[in-house]
Amino acid sequence: MAGGCPSMWGIYSAMEYGPAPEGAGSAQAWLEAHGRRFGHFVDGKWLKPEGRETASSINPATGEPLGDTLQGEPEDVEAAIQAATKAFKSWSRLPCHARARHLYNMARTIQKHQHLFAILESLDTGKPIGEARDHDLPLVIRHFYHHAGWAQVMATEMGGWEPLGVVAGVVTWSSLMLLAWKICPALAMGNTVVLLPPTHARLSALLLAELGAQAGLPPGVLNVLTGEGALAELLAIHPGVDGLTVASSVEVGRSLRRATAGMGVRLSLQLGGETVIVVFDSADLDGAAVGLSDTMSCQRGQVPGARALLLVQEAVAEVLLKRVKTRLGKLRIGDPLDKAMDGGALADEAQRLAIETYVEEARAEGAEVFQAWTALPAHGPFYPPTLITGVASSSRCVREQVLGPVLVVLPFRTAKEAVALGNNRPSGLAASVWTENLPLAMEVAQSLQAGTVWINGQNLFDAAAGGGGSKESGNSRDGGKEGLYEYIRLSWQSWPRPGPTELDYKTFAAAYGADPPPIPGHSGVACPTGPELEENMPRVDRTYKMYYGGSQKRPVGMASRPILDPAGKVLAYVADGSAKDIRNAVEAAHKAAPGWGKRAAHARAQVLYYVAENLELRREEVASRLGVLMGTPLEEARQEVDLSLERLFHWAAYCDKSGGAVQETPMHGTTLQLHQPLGVVGIACPDERPLLSFLSLLAPAVARGNAVVMIPSPRYPLPALDLCQIFDTSDIPGGVVNLVTGNRDHLSRTLAQHQDIQAMWYFGSQQGSQFVEWASAGNLKRTWVSHGAPRQWENPTQGAGEEFLYQATQCKTVWIPMGEIFAN
């Protein structure tokens, strides 16, 4: 070009990012206004008791002290819970519209101070200012607006439910967004909150509480305690806490599950896990590369899903990784307050050393490690975006979570293999599927065991869409109507708060055959009713066996237990099941569960209708046996059979009427909420209404696509066993319904401890309920227990209400973006 002037392309190619620092003046001024010393925020004011130790909040990027916060003590926990309990009496009775106004005012107040929040969040966590400003804070505000709406319509949309009371929130992940996820639905539903923010990032939570008071939130409605993790257990076991919502690691979740066992506390767990990213050869590889690099730039190990596993189809693996490496080499890691930075700092030096240990161990195993060191700061807890390829699926970096900007890569050949690799993990937090083949994308999205799945996208969240995980990632949901159930209870239910009993978990119900049956010949056998046989012609003995895998089975232990009539005579003997029988039944259930879960909802409904039809044909026979067993008039027994028929029809009707919905989110696209089966559900039935309660528990689980392993009433198991012949003639696939008779607590012990049971429902004693909750911590299975409180099973509200539908399904959110015709 004339005069030696560079071309436009030359200028564009040579351009470099310059520094674009964001001023921290507003945050520094707020810190100074408090003298950089903060107490707890309790009952609408600052609480600074004497004699407390303090901890310094440090800017992880620079090591600069930001301020000192208190290390709470048990007395502080007591003060916060008392304030929340007092506030609950008035807050829960406010008109829905009044609570909606309070949440709306909170949203407006946060908006006014959005810049302050973003700066403080960046200083406190090391998060890039752009991420805090453009992603997190808009979501926080969106949650308050959205849940103001739920507060407004609670009376109509959540009829029959009421608030729990005082909810304790324990958050160990450093994210203001997670705090909002826990606070908003709890407040909207009329609860009061005591919040324990993360140890290393407390300042944003204190600012939120202070601004809540400024916005007019009544004193005691939102309280914030600061301290170490030991306070979490103090909150969890406090008798004044009615609900506990946790966003933390799997280890913390297990600990709190065991600590709250038997206390009647509603426990909501959102735990750690990884994001499984599946890229097919039909994907837009440039789009996938952008999504992968963006994901790695925000992975600092301080939020759930802070670790990613990439599964890429072999045919495009080399091309995709080349593009990802190119993009990673362009990422800028450094000062979080620089608006031109893609990535910020880790929590501390210890986290950086932990990541380095994982990476070097993989390198020693022969893995290929790519690291983008471009422009990495010389000092501070920074780590470069890292790709690990050429590893075996058994490698430690594949099996365990590397909490940082590390992407582990595994190749696959077929879609089935990809799904198998993605599901072969104890956690199930989130996943993304990259392909231009929509049928393939939807099938893989439904097959992956994750609570949230993005199609051709990554890290999409909204207050209207339930977010959460499955398996060891917890089973709670944050956002949408699904998220509200974590903070409400049924209005009719007298909330059981028994408190834990002294229970030896090692020996409880561990002995098999602890209650020996009567010695044969020492107790008469009641003569069954029915027409007399010819003289000197004995009746054929009725042998009651167990039922699993579609056929009747003798117990492994070859033992029986007596069933007595009201006069105390032996009416029949049934199989006395053992742990081995339970394991056999679970194996049969797992063989049947995938096919049953994928069967069309209409087909499942037809099977339940068929069961009802065949039960109707044997109405008089079943009623007669039930009357003899219970010692009740025949007419009363007929009524129970008729109610059981009605219950079957009820759940047959719901087979194809609760599959999910389309969520209305700001994203240009479609966000689906799918109600999927849990898998295999263990169910221990109560003694009251033995036929009706048995079918009231079986029908919703089966209707929604689960396979069940059921323990019928130990005292009155005959009505359930009489149904086996009906199941055989009603087209129920073998293994969908499995029955094991015996001691309820002994058999429930094995089910609750089983690592391949997805949920456990227990309707028995308080001690049994406590053990089931404690044992469920093994694989963090969902539990639904009665705490020894009886139900009126004949009452449709108690025996067939909305909670049955909620307990029988898990919510999966699938995000499907659009943009082929319109860009936005």
Side-chain angles (χ1 to χ4, degrees):
M1 183 173 286
C5 294
S7 66
M8 288 297 295
W9 175 249
I11 295 173
Y12 180 79
S13 301
M15 278 198 307
E16 293 286 343
Y17 281 105
E22 182 72 55
S26 58
Q28 297 292 355
W30 181 76
L31 293 169
E32 289 294 343
H34 288 277
R36 296 186 182 269
R37 297 184 65 85
F38 297 87
H40 311 298
F41 198 87
V42 173
D43 205 18
K45 57 184 179 294
W46 292 102
L47 175 65
K48 299 180 179 179
E50 297 293 331
R52 297 290 184 267
E53 295 183 1
T54 61
S56 293
S57 290
I58 304 294
N59 181 343
T62 64
E64 169 199 2
L66 299 173
D68 293 333
T69 56
L70 294 184
Q71 299 288 69
E73 297 289 342
E75 294 83 357
D76 305 330
V77 171
E78 190 66 38
I81 292 176
Q82 286 184 7
T85 302
K86 179 182 177 182
F88 174 73
K89 296 176 182 177
S90 56
W91 177 254
S92 61
R93 295 192 180 100
L94 281 179
C96 292
H97 178 60
R99 282 205 304 275
R101 285 192 174 205
H102 278 297
L103 288 171
Y104 179 85
N105 289 343
M106 282 281 289
R108 300 293 281 179
T109 302
I110 295 170
Q111 274 186 313
K112 294 172 188 176
H113 300 282
Q114 189 169 345
H115 182 263
L116 168 60
F117 265 114
I119 296 296
L120 190 63
E121 182 80 347
S122 181
L123 290 174
D124 206 16
T125 67
K127 178 177 298 185
I129 182 65
E131 184 181 337
R133 179 196 61 205
D134 302 332
H135 181 263
D136 288 9
L137 263 300
L139 266 176
V140 169
I141 295 164
R142 164 75 171 143
H143 267 271
F144 276 97
Y145 277 131
H146 179 78
H147 286 94
W150 278 119
Q152 177 71 41
V153 300
M154 180 182 177
T156 54
E157 293 295 321
M158 309 302 291
W161 300 83
E162 60 185 39
L164 296 174
V166 175
V167 172
V170 175
V171 179
T172 63
W173 302 105
S174 302
S175 173
L176 178 64
M177 182 173 64
L178 288 175
L179 300 180
W181 286 2
K182 301 302 179 186
I183 292 169
C184 292
L187 296 184
M189 293 296 100
N191 303 279
T192 53
V193 174
V194 178
L195 184 67
L196 181 67
T199 303
H200 296 293
R202 305 169 173 179
L203 299 178
S204 294
L206 293 170
L207 173 59
L208 183 66
E210 185 181 50
L211 288 184
Q214 180 180 318
L217 206 61
V221 171
L222 175 59
N223 309 275
V224 176
L225 292 173
T226 57
E228 296 295 335
L231 290 186
E233 187 161 334
L234 290 178
L235 284 169
I237 64 176
H238 195 287
V241 170
D242 302 286
L244 180 65
T245 178
V246 180
S248 186
S249 66
V250 173
E251 292 72 22
V252 170
R254 281 203 180 95
S255 175
L256 294 178
R257 171 69 283 179
R258 293 188 175 112
T260 57
M263 294 188 64
V265 174
R266 177 69 61 80
L267 182 60
S268 169
L269 296 176
Q270 183 184 10
L271 307 179
E274 62 210 348
T275 299
V276 175
I277 304 169
V278 186
V279 180
F280 288 95
D281 58 8
S282 52
D284 172 1
L285 297 184
D286 287 317
V290 171
L292 287 166
S293 59
D294 288 349
T295 296
M296 293 185 68
S297 68
C298 64
Q299 282 180 202
R300 293 177 307 283
Q302 300 174 46
V303 293
R307 181 261 174 127
L309 173 68
L310 171 61
L311 306 177
V312 56
Q313 201 154 21
E314 285 182 347
V316 294
E318 184 177 349
V319 176
L320 176 67
L321 294 179
K322 182 178 179 180
R323 297 182 187 187
V324 172
K325 290 175 182 178
T326 300
R327 290 193 61 84
L328 293 183
K330 300 293 185 181
L331 292 180
R332 306 181 78 235
I333 311 296
D335 180 8
L337 286 181
D338 189 336
K339 295 189 286 290
M341 290 297 164
D342 299 297
L346 303 174
D348 50 34
E349 183 64 18
Q351 185 190 355
R352 191 192 69 79
L353 291 174
I355 297 170
E356 196 169 86
T357 299
Y358 273 101
V359 173
E360 292 307 314
E361 185 176 311
R363 198 194 304 270
E365 291 175 350
E368 180 182 337
V369 177
F370 169 84
Q371 295 183 309
W373 289 97
T374 305
L376 196 69
H379 303 287
F382 296 91
Y383 200 80
T386 301
L387 275 176
I388 301 179
T389 57
V391 293
S393 58
S394 59
S395 175
R396 184 174 173 223
C397 68
V398 175
R399 292 182 289 104
E400 300 181 13
Q401 293 187 46
V402 186
L403 297 178
V406 178
L407 184 64
V408 182
V409 183
L410 290 177
F412 69 87
R413 288 165 292 181
T414 66
K416 276 189 177 181
E417 184 183 0
V419 170
L421 285 170
N423 290 339
N424 186 28
R425 345 207 44 77
S427 62
L429 187 61
S432 65
V433 182
W434 295 82
T435 174
E436 296 296 286
N437 183 338
L438 185 57
L440 173 64
M442 290 303 301
E443 187 171 8
V444 173
Q446 293 199 46
S447 301
L448 288 171
Q449 295 168 358
T452 303
V453 181
W454 303 288
I455 293 176
N456 295 330
Q458 200 77 26
N459 296 333
L460 300 170
F461 301 100
D462 186 65
S470 64
K471 300 190 288 187
E472 288 187 3
S473 294
N475 46 59
S476 70
R477 293 294 177 264
D478 292 304
K481 187 175 182 179
E482 291 295 316
L484 303 180
Y485 291 105
E486 310 292 337
Y487 305 98
I488 51 178
R489 65 182 179 90
L490 291 160
S491 303
W492 64 263
Q493 198 171 39
S494 177
W495 192 241
R497 293 301 310 276
T501 59
E502 290 296 326
L503 200 62
D504 188 336
Y505 294 112
K506 291 185 177 179
T507 61
F508 174 76
Y512 171 62
D515 300 319
I519 300 172
H522 285 241
S523 144
V525 177
C527 181
T529 60
E532 294 294 329
L533 298 180
E534 296 182 11
E535 189 176 357
N536 299 323
M537 183 64 68
R539 286 187 175 276
V540 175
D541 179 70
R542 174 74 185 274
T543 302
Y544 285 97
K545 301 176 185 176
M546 294 182 297
Y547 182 81
Y548 58 82
S551 60
Q552 298 186 50
K553 308 283 187 179
R554 296 188 184 278
V556 173
M558 301 303 290
S560 300
R561 57 190 292 117
I563 303 302
L564 307 180
D565 69 2
K569 292 185 177 181
V570 177
L571 186 62
Y573 282 90
V574 300
D576 193 11
S578 65
K580 178 60 176 171
D581 296 305
I582 288 289
R583 289 192 289 269
N584 290 344
V586 171
E587 184 178 345
H590 270 289
K591 290 179 180 178
W596 181 248
K598 292 178 181 177
R599 181 173 288 201
H602 173 72
R604 292 199 302 269
Q606 294 306 302
V607 169
L608 285 180
Y609 283 129
Y610 200 6
V611 172
E613 179 184 330
N614 286 328
L615 178 58
E616 169 72 14
L617 291 174
R618 299 177 62 177
R619 175 176 180 263
E620 290 301 316
E621 175 191 349
V622 173
S624 175
R625 290 176 186 263
L626 184 62
V628 171
L629 176 66
M630 304 292 294
T632 56
L634 182 59
E635 188 56 37
E636 185 176 330
R638 286 176 180 147
Q639 289 177 357
E640 182 165 346
V641 176
D642 291 341
L643 283 171
S644 300
L645 288 166
E646 183 180 342
R647 203 60 47 86
L648 286 168
F649 264 69
H650 176 87
W651 290 114
Y654 267 105
C655 280
D656 57 1
K657 295 176 180 63
S658 186
V662 175
Q663 302 289 14
E664 295 181 298
T665 66
M667 182 193 73
H668 179 58
T670 303
T671 305
L672 301 178
Q673 177 201 79
L674 306 179
H675 289 161
Q676 293 189 318
L678 301 168
V680 176
V681 179
I683 304 176
C685 299
D687 288 327
E688 60 265 22
R689 295 281 192 170
L691 176 63
L692 179 60
S693 62
F694 174 83
L695 288 174
S696 296
L697 291 167
L698 178 148
V702 170
R704 295 309 311 159
N706 302 285
V708 295
V709 177
M710 302 192 67
I711 305 167
S713 159
R715 187 175 178 185
Y716 307 117
L718 301 186
L721 295 175
D722 283 338
L723 292 175
C724 293
Q725 293 178 344
I726 292 176
F727 296 151
D728 282 338
T729 57
S730 301
D731 293 343
I732 293 183
V736 171
V737 177
N738 307 275
L739 310 182
V740 180
T741 53
N743 182 290
R744 177 170 49 217
D745 286 342
H746 176 68
L747 298 176
S748 295
R749 177 187 179 92
T750 303
L751 276 174
Q753 291 179 323
H754 202 293
Q755 296 296 297
D756 210 9
I757 289 284
Q758 283 66 57
M760 180 67 196
W761 301 354
Y762 177 90
F763 291 82
S765 66
Q766 159 58 19
Q767 292 80 7
S769 298
Q770 180 174 334
F771 181 86
V772 165
E773 290 190 329
W774 179 86
S776 71
N779 69 336
L780 289 167
K781 61 174 65 67
R782 283 178 62 169
T783 60
W784 182 23
V785 301
S786 66
H787 295 289
R791 283 181 179 237
Q792 297 177 5
W793 293 95
E794 65 277 11
N795 184 330
T797 302
Q798 299 187 29
E802 188 178 8
E803 65 172 330
F804 289 80
L805 204 58
Y806 171 73
Q807 294 290 352
T809 58
Q810 57 186 343
C811 173
K812 174 182 284 186
T813 302
V814 179
W815 296 74
I816 311 171
M818 298 179 188
E820 287 293 325
I821 304 173
F822 303 103
N824 50 53

